[in-house]
Amino acid sequence: MVDDAIKRTFTHDMVLLQSLGMRPVIVHGGGPEVSRAMKAMGQEPHFVEGLRVTTDESLRITEMVLSGTINKEIVAEIIGHGGRGVGLSGKDGPTIHARKMSHVTGIDLGHVGEIQSVDPTLINLMLDNGFLPVISPIGIGPSGQTFNINADTAASRIAAALNAEKIIFMTDVQGILDDGKLISTLTTANAKKLIDTGVIAGGMLPKVEAMLFCLGNGVTSAHIIGGNEHHAVISELFTDKGTGTIIIP
């Protein structure tokens, strides 16, 4: 999504899918953009095992970038293609109910949240009225606290709450690789074995864990594809082989 040309073809394809009777929902992150904004404001991003430590000040920047800049850029692209994009935060509704995350090391991650539940009512209302929801991964606590949520986790919980047919993760690699070779299809059992043997590790691990959550909670198939190619989602959905990795129950 940092490539404007890719962003344009992606949003065009989402509008196309909706015109064909599908009900796409976009859940986005924006870690690199948040880090750039923090540095521009004199703050240094800090991570613990891939989780951004979110202070009071960095939370304001995170919400501004995710729910403001990035979310509205995607919505504007959708509208530019003739769609009816609408930007939501997980706080709206509220949709994403969260609580403060407790890290196993005891490190205080600040305003990083873990999802307690997802209420899909507002998303379904948008879909039923022909809108294309674009959701930023910001949650809300029981007393109105704001929480920064991992985007992969947010997407998986939203997909399960919507009883989605498919979830597609877009990333900067082609899919799940073993010795540099793409694995086109995996079962959940085989995916768990690859996690245990360390083939699936690093930044791929939370995405695959999110995919497995979906498959265990009613989603029929989970895909991970390289988002660097034009029309990657269309190719994944409408070609026999697809472009990335699909995990099935």
Side-chain angles (χ1 to χ4, degrees), residues 127-144:
L127 292 169
D128 291 343
N129 286 277
F131 292 96
L132 204 167
V134 181
I135 306 171
S136 65
I138 301 292
I140 190 166
S143 300

Side-chain angles (χ1 to χ4, degrees), residues 104-134:
V104 291
T105 63
I107 296 173
D108 187 355
L109 298 172
H111 299 280
V112 174
E114 58 182 353
I115 296 174
Q116 292 183 287
S117 64
V118 171
D119 183 347
T121 303
L122 181 58
I123 303 173
N124 280 319
L125 180 65
M126 296 295 102
L127 292 169
D128 291 343
N129 286 277
F131 292 96
L132 204 167
V134 181

